[in-house]
Amino acid sequence: MSTIIFKAREIVKINGLADKITLIQGKMEEIELPYEKVDIIISEWMGYFLLYESMLDTVLYARDKYLKKDGLIFPDKATIFVAGIEDGEYKEEKIGFWDNVYGFDYTPLKETALSEPLVDTVEMKAVVTDPTAVLTLDLYKVQPSDLAFSCPFDLVARRADFIHALVAWFDIEFTACHKPIRFSTGPHTKYTHWKQTVFYLKDVLTVEQGEKVECSLHNRPNEKNRRDLDIKIEYRLDTQDPTRQAEGTCLYKMC
């Protein structure tokens, strides 16, 4: 849709490829390609938390309308991972800030602040639990209806620490390559512009090594704008120490 296409056409021409590359400006759902079917679809459709503001619906439209029976999609697999993190200092700065704003009580805004996931980089040393995969998308098979999902999962503590938030990231795979290629957007690897997505919990969970936090993630596209997300996270820490038991439900909006 961008006007950069005019410069792209110049670049194609000066490199002698005008007879091999055709650039079309417009939305995939509105334009007509000069071919009935294609061999390969290549798209960088991923958004924050993989699905926020993503173009996956458009990729699936192109797949169903244009891809040949044995055609290829690059990338073709995506997985969302979640882990628990200790992030007390930043949570206090982001959420506790509203308790006293230059002497005024702004606590009604704390709930709003908690409902907004934070897109930022998380250091590996902050990760308290083992990561767990909560969703894997196979782009050859996934349907738009699959983007509304509920998934139970457990987080197992690596050490005695506090959990202030859950962090989510995604991995992408190109399984059809001669040598399969995979890259990750997690805190354990090199920086990407997707960073990670942090969901702050209402409670601070106090965990011992090996303890399990039972969670469930519910995600659906917003009814008014499918590129926005409505997310619900439920968590439960059941321990023999009643003072550390905790459970709750948090609602988030990525918009």
Side-chain angles (χ1 to χ4, degrees), residues 38-58:
V38 300
D39 299 294
I40 300 173
I41 293 174
I42 303 172
S43 178
E44 188 281 279
W45 54 268
M46 301 81 72
Y48 299 130
F49 187 60
L50 183 65
L51 299 174
Y52 173 59
E53 283 194 332
S54 85
M55 296 292 291
L56 184 53
D57 282 5
T58 294

Side-chain angles (χ1 to χ4, degrees), residues 5-21 23:
I5 193 170
F6 298 113
K7 286 296 177 184
R9 284 175 177 152
E10 291 182 32
I11 292 170
V12 168
K13 184 177 180 179
I14 65 173
N15 283 277
L17 295 170
D19 61 332
K20 292 181 172 60
I21 297 176
L23 300 175

